[in-house]
């Protein structure tokens, strides 16, 4: 099946911290995001509490300029995830950033 990309703009430090988190979990950033996307599609909701969260210790906020990166995802999952995000009213990239923050804050995948 063809892969597509979801572009996300985040602070450089967040991206680097999340890459380290994923590496410690034995997965790629795209793999970690795909887990969340599939769970969102399965539950037809965001699979973690969406709230203002301040990660503890790992990521301290965006001092550096934002950067853009992409995660690879299969077309059918991208389209279904977009439908879930549209129904909730939060852009896909924002949900992915919140997911990254939640993982870093909890030190694990939040579901």
């Amino acid at each position: 099946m063809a892969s597509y990309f979801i572009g996300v703009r985040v602070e450089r430090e967040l991206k680097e911290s999340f890459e380290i988190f994923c590496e410690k979990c034995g997965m790629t950033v795209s793999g970690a995001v795909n887990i969340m996307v599939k769970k969102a599609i399965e539950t037809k909701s965001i699979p973690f509490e969406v709230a203002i969260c301040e990660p503890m210790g790992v990521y301290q906020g965006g001092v550096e300029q934002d950067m853009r990166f992409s995660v690879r995802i299969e077309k059918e999952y991208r389209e279904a995830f977009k439908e879930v995000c549209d129904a909730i009213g939060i852009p896909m990239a924002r949900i992915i950033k919140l997911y990254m923050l939640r993982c870093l804050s909890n030190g694990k995948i939040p579901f």
Side-chain angles (χ1 to χ4, degrees), residues 43-83:
T43 63
K44 296 189 180 6
S45 66
I46 302 308
F48 55 89
E49 181 180 337
V50 176
I52 296 171
C53 65
E54 189 63 37
M56 298 169 225
V58 180
Y59 169 70
Q60 298 300 321
V63 175
E64 296 187 39
Q65 186 176 7
D66 288 357
M67 65 180 301
R68 186 171 179 85
F69 74 97
S70 296
V71 292
R72 185 179 299 270
I73 188 165
E74 291 180 12
K75 181 181 179 182
E76 69 182 70
Y77 293 127
R78 184 186 186 285
E79 292 170 356
F81 181 57
K82 183 176 183 333
E83 288 178 18

Side-chain angles (χ1 to χ4, degrees), residues 34-47 77 80-81 84 111:
N34 271 275
I35 290 170
M36 186 269 302
V37 165
K38 289 174 184 177
K39 189 71 167 176
I41 293 166
E42 175 187 313
T43 63
K44 296 189 180 6
S45 66
I46 302 308
Y77 293 127
F81 181 57
V84 171
F111 44 86

